[in-house]
Amino acid sequence: MDMIFGKNKKEQPEPVRAKIKGELPTWLHGTLLRNGPGMHTIGETTYNHWFDGLALLHSFTIGNGEVHYRSKYLRSDTYNSNIEANKIVVSEFGTMAYPDPCKNIFSKAFSYLSHTIPDFTDNCLINIMKCGEDFYATTETNYIRKINPDTLETLEKVDYRDYAAINVATSHPHYDAQGNVLNMGTSIVDKGKTKYLVFKIPPTIPEKKKKKNNLKHLEVICSIPSRSLLSPSYYHSFGITENYIIFLEQPFKLDILKMATAYIRGINWASCITFHEEDKTYIHIIDRRTKRTLLTKFYADPMVVFHHVNAYEEDGHIVFDVISYKDHSLYQLFYLANLNQDFQQNSKLASIPSLKRFVIPLQVDKDAEMGENLVKLESTTATARKEKDDQVYCQSEELYEGIELPRINYAYNGKKYRYVYTAEVQWNPIPTKIMKFDVLTKSSLKWEEEHCWPAEPVFVPAPNAQQEDDGKSSWPSEYSTGFHSKPWNQLSSYEFGRVRKGTNIYFQKQCGRD
Ligand SMILES: CC1=C(/C=C/C(C)=C/C=C/C(C)=C/C=O)C(C)(C)CCC1
Ligand SMILES: [Fe+2]
């Protein structure tokens, strides 16, 4: 494992034909774009955390039963500055960099402190976002980088702050049926307020403005005040249904004062995010029609959620499924020191990811008794109990333990659905299996092979699919790969047969949803 995690990956800018074991469905055409960290050492310096690595873009072009792979480092300003200096000069999630030769930077402290929020990295290593015809590499800061999906070349640097007061944004946007991007970001201490913004980017812009990017037409559709000015929640994704948006204000919070003084204290961004185990998880439900949050105060026990799986409306309720943890120990695991040394010993998950279902009653009966369960769906054991002061305490139903990197058939996003495609991680962060899980029957189908570490499975519906799970004909009808910024992604290389072939929702018109 040592070699795998720390080792710098070589880019492969010219397409190479992948070896294929087995057969690809004949209808599978398109390009799968993936992203993830590829370089952790620059000159004599090494990043501390796996999420810090310089973004390596990958593409798998699939057609006529063949796959061609290429990869290219994102030429971000961060990449260029680091390579030029031959050392890490830009701070990342788990590594602070001090470009000045002298680490005693008190003379620099003033300039660092003159901004509450320091300038962040544009090392966009987490995901790829499709915005109309444009593709962007994304991270969770205010920067995204446009890329050429065919050549993987790096194009413009886009700053969300030019279009809305957003300091951090998620890398897991949603896409609606019209192709609008829906995303969330946090506006930190802007005009004395900290708030979570839901925003929309249209897929098309007026012809005469074609030279401008779509973000120029970004529209903030809702704003949720943060419970605290200086400690907004960290969140990695959010959920949507046809009429609602689900946002978890979880007790895993950015400490803004710590961030503002991180450089002079010599601490990294990661240690400015703290889990408050005594706090609650507030569940905000935004009505997409009125653009307002529901007045009832729904809350749950403290938890840390990175991935929302799906959500839908049913008989006056919102059902939403998430992968939740008891704490934030997952981030600790991805320090390279923990991944590289005595891997087996250090890589036990302290908190197991668990697929949980929450149910929100949309009508809270004024006459209901205190303590009454307001969930009237027969299909679930999740509860929502009425409490005083318009509060409702939600407890989940556990659907499955030990899975991460959930995906669904995206045509069912926001709708009642049955299948989750996921990686089984159990008590170890490196998956050894992929799984198709049926949320209705709670049954599962798994795939594993010796010496294989599969990545995030990506479902591609068959043309004219009739069933939700019609990805081909029968199991294993789904094909996985993916470089969802997780270390096992580095392992799949381009041996397609091993990871069961791959494709993705970022299809460029040839196939899939777009
Ligand atoms: C650089 C930077 C950030 C980066 C966070 C990253 C890179 C998070 C990656 C999370 C992943 C991959 C989670 C998977 O489940 C913050 C904290 C937003 C803000 C401060 C500056
Ligand atoms: Fe993610």
Side-chain angles (χ1 to χ4, degrees):
M1 285 289 171
D2 278 41
M3 285 181 356
I4 293 160
F5 286 105
K7 209 172 143 197
N8 288 350
K9 309 297 173 302
K10 232 173 139 184
E11 59 182 5
Q12 172 62 55
E14 293 311 317
V16 285
R17 194 168 151 189
K19 281 187 229 141
I20 310 237
K21 289 186 199 157
E23 245 172 63
L24 290 171
T26 47
W27 51 262
L28 200 55
H29 282 276
T31 298
L32 161 68
L33 294 173
R34 303 264 75 189
N35 198 353
M39 193 189 293
H40 287 94
T41 300
I42 302 138
E44 304 280 289
T45 54
T46 298
Y47 288 118
N48 299 325
H49 200 276
W50 197 75
F51 295 170
D52 298 341
L54 292 175
L56 182 57
L57 303 166
H58 310 257
S59 76
F60 300 85
T61 305
I62 306 162
N64 304 322
E66 290 181 2
V67 180
H68 287 87
Y69 169 81
R70 61 164 106 200
S71 66
K72 210 164 169 32
Y73 276 101
L74 183 79
R75 269 33 178 203
S76 58
D77 292 356
T78 301
Y79 176 97
N80 292 334
S81 312
N82 286 344
I83 298 297
E84 196 183 312
N86 195 32
K87 63 175 186 174
I88 298 164
V89 291
V90 181
S91 300
E92 299 292 338
F93 178 69
T95 308
M96 294 311 257
Y98 294 88
D100 278 0
C102 160
K103 195 174 178 229
N104 179 357
I105 43 112
F106 285 107
S107 56
K108 260 244 155 187
F110 178 76
S111 66
Y112 287 133
L113 277 171
S114 62
H115 305 279
T116 320
I117 307 300
D119 199 19
F120 290 138
T121 178
D122 69 336
N123 174 31
C124 299
L125 82 159
I126 303 185
N127 207 353
I128 307 281
M129 172 167 90
K130 186 175 188 289
C131 211
E133 296 296 305
D134 300 331
F135 288 81
Y136 291 91
T138 64
T139 178
E140 293 186 350
T141 67
N142 51 299
Y143 293 117
I144 54 177
R145 277 314 293 231
K146 198 165 166 180
I147 58 158
N148 177 326
D150 301 316
T151 60
L152 301 183
E153 269 160 343
T154 305
L155 305 170
E156 299 96 273
K157 173 173 169 173
V158 171
D159 186 347
Y160 274 127
R161 291 174 305 180
D162 291 342
Y163 308 101
I166 295 164
N167 304 96
V168 290
T170 91
S171 249
H172 284 290
H174 284 281
Y175 302 91
D176 69 14
Q178 291 72 43
N180 291 294
V181 172
L182 280 177
N183 201 2
M184 285 194 66
T186 307
S187 174
I188 302 170
V189 203
D190 177 57
K191 300 191 190 90
K193 293 205 166 75
T194 297
K195 47 197 188 260
Y196 310 101
L197 303 179
V198 182
F199 60 91
K200 182 163 139 181
I201 313 169
T204 48
I205 51 178
E207 197 59 41
K208 54 180 187 293
K209 295 194 174 146
K210 267 279 179 290
K211 281 212 178 80
K212 302 269 188 299
N213 72 45
N214 298 39
L215 273 94
K216 225 172 156 92
H217 299 265
L218 181 152
E219 185 197 338
V220 172
I221 54 174
C222 180
S223 158
I224 306 157
S226 164
R227 294 185 72 83
S228 143
L229 178 73
L230 293 172
S231 48
S233 284
Y234 168 87
Y235 51 101
H236 184 71
S237 63
F238 61 101
I240 60 170
T241 69
E242 277 167 346
N243 296 302
Y244 298 93
I245 290 167
I246 300 115
F247 170 62
L248 298 180
E249 191 174 18
Q250 54 188 4
F252 187 33
K253 300 178 183 174
L254 300 175
D255 183 332
I256 303 304
L257 288 182
K258 250 186 168 178
M259 285 177 99
T261 53
Y263 277 105
I264 48 170
R265 292 192 202 202
I267 55 168
N268 61 19
W269 301 136
S271 53
C272 300
I273 317 181
T274 2
F275 181 59
H276 301 250
E277 59 183 5
E278 70 295 344
D279 215 340
K280 294 171 178 163
T281 301
Y282 294 93
I283 306 169
H284 298 282
I285 307 291
I286 301 135
D287 190 323
R288 293 171 68 179
R289 297 156 298 190
T290 61
K291 301 177 178 173
R292 289 176 181 276
T293 42
L294 299 190
L295 293 175
T296 309
K297 297 178 193 77
F298 299 102
Y299 76 93
D301 289 331
M303 61 180 168
V304 174
V305 167
F306 297 106
H307 294 118
H308 281 252
V309 181
N310 200 6
Y312 58 89
E313 292 157 41
E314 187 174 13
D315 296 338
H317 302 75
I318 291 175
V319 177
F320 71 91
D321 297 341
V322 293
I323 309 270
S324 93
Y325 293 79
K326 288 203 172 70
D327 59 35
H328 70 302
S329 53
L330 182 79
Y331 272 2
Q332 211 56 33
L333 263 183
F334 283 92
Y335 276 99
L336 291 175
N338 293 337
L339 289 175
N340 283 339
Q341 289 161 26
D342 198 353
F343 180 77
Q344 290 304 334
Q345 197 61 35
N346 291 323
S347 66
K348 287 269 173 294
L349 282 168
S351 160
I352 309 298
S354 165
L355 173 59
K356 289 193 169 159
R357 168 158 292 184
F358 285 90
V359 182
I360 303 292
L362 284 168
Q363 294 319 322
V364 175
D365 183 357
K366 285 226 161 4
D367 301 327
E369 302 269 313
M370 288 296 156
E372 185 182 324
N373 179 16
L374 305 170
V375 175
K376 304 295 174 207
L377 296 181
E378 304 247 304
S379 58
T380 181
T381 57
T383 58
R385 298 197 184 276
K386 186 171 165 163
E387 290 187 343
K388 60 176 171 22
D389 302 331
D390 251 345
Q391 296 205 73
V392 173
Y393 172 44
C394 303
Q395 282 182 300
S396 60
E397 172 187 359
E398 183 167 282
L399 299 178
Y400 202 84
E401 253 199 355
I403 48 173
E404 250 296 2
L405 306 179
R407 295 290 292 248
I408 55 165
N409 176 346
Y410 202 73
Y412 287 74
N413 191 43
K415 303 192 177 111
K416 191 163 181 183
Y417 78 119
R418 259 182 87 166
Y419 303 107
V420 184
Y421 303 93
T422 178
E424 188 159 23
V425 288
Q426 299 248 341
W427 284 266
N428 194 301
I430 310 303
T432 50
K433 295 186 182 91
I434 50 170
M435 178 167 110
K436 173 187 179 187
F437 181 70
D438 182 337
V439 293
L440 184 70
T441 62
K442 316 243 180 352
S443 61
S444 61
L445 271 171
K446 300 180 187 185
W447 173 86
E448 74 179 316
E449 214 174 281
E450 217 193 339
H451 307 305
C452 290
W453 296 275
E456 175 189 65
V458 179
F459 180 84
V460 181
N464 312 315
Q466 300 296 310
Q467 306 289 327
E468 180 185 337
D469 61 341
D470 189 0
K472 201 180 145 208
S473 49
S474 60
W475 174 263
S477 59
E478 293 70 39
Y479 293 84
S480 91
T481 181
F483 287 77
H484 182 86
S485 50
K486 295 283 187 278
W488 46 91
N489 299 327
Q490 302 300 330
L491 307 170
S492 52
S493 73
Y494 29 90
E495 290 169 66
F496 254 69
R498 271 184 146 192
V499 291
R500 289 271 179 214
K501 305 76 172 181
T503 188
N504 183 303
I505 57 162
Y506 303 112
F507 264 76
Q508 298 162 51
K509 290 271 185 304
Q510 294 100 315
C511 179
R513 285 179 41 77
D514 301 314

